[in-house]
Amino acid sequence: MCVSCFLIVFAEAFINVFAGALTVCILVRVLLSWVPVRLPLGLADLVFGVSEAVLGPIRRALPAMGGLDLSPFVAIIAIQIVQGLLVRLLPYPV
């Protein structure tokens, strides 16, 4: 295979792993908000920091829903849409 084919496959894998990691961070944050558990090695701080970078702007843009936070749902859908668009924009390796 050619070098450009490897780069395209690498880019697709990177996009998929990055989107999956963001989705997992958001899901872990949702679970931590329901069940307060102390995670070792500052893992909770990492999860809250990464997920707040995504959820904060969405939370500010959404109207108040009476205590119901729909920002994780909106964020996961947006991540999946952006992932699909980015993967489709990659040229298909020959």
Side-chain angles (χ1 to χ4, degrees):
M1 282 176 66
C2 59
V3 174
S4 63
C5 297
F6 282 122
L7 290 176
I8 292 168
V9 170
F10 176 78
E12 182 178 354
F14 179 79
I15 291 167
N16 290 332
V17 168
F18 187 72
L22 275 177
T23 303
V24 167
C25 275
I26 291 170
L27 291 175
V28 168
R29 180 176 175 149
V30 167
L31 291 175
L32 287 176
S33 70
W34 293 340
V35 181
V37 177
R38 293 189 59 134
L39 295 177
L41 303 173
L43 194 56
D45 294 334
L46 175 71
V47 167
F48 278 97
V50 169
S51 62
E52 186 59 31
V54 176
L55 296 177
I58 296 172
R59 198 175 290 127
R60 286 189 294 273
L62 286 177
M65 300 295 254
L68 184 62
D69 186 15
L70 295 177
S71 61
F73 180 70
V74 172
I76 290 174
I77 290 174
I79 289 169
Q80 295 299 315
I81 290 171
V82 169
Q83 175 192 8
L85 289 174
L86 288 176
V87 168
R88 286 184 187 205
L89 287 176
L90 291 173
Y92 188 72
V94 182

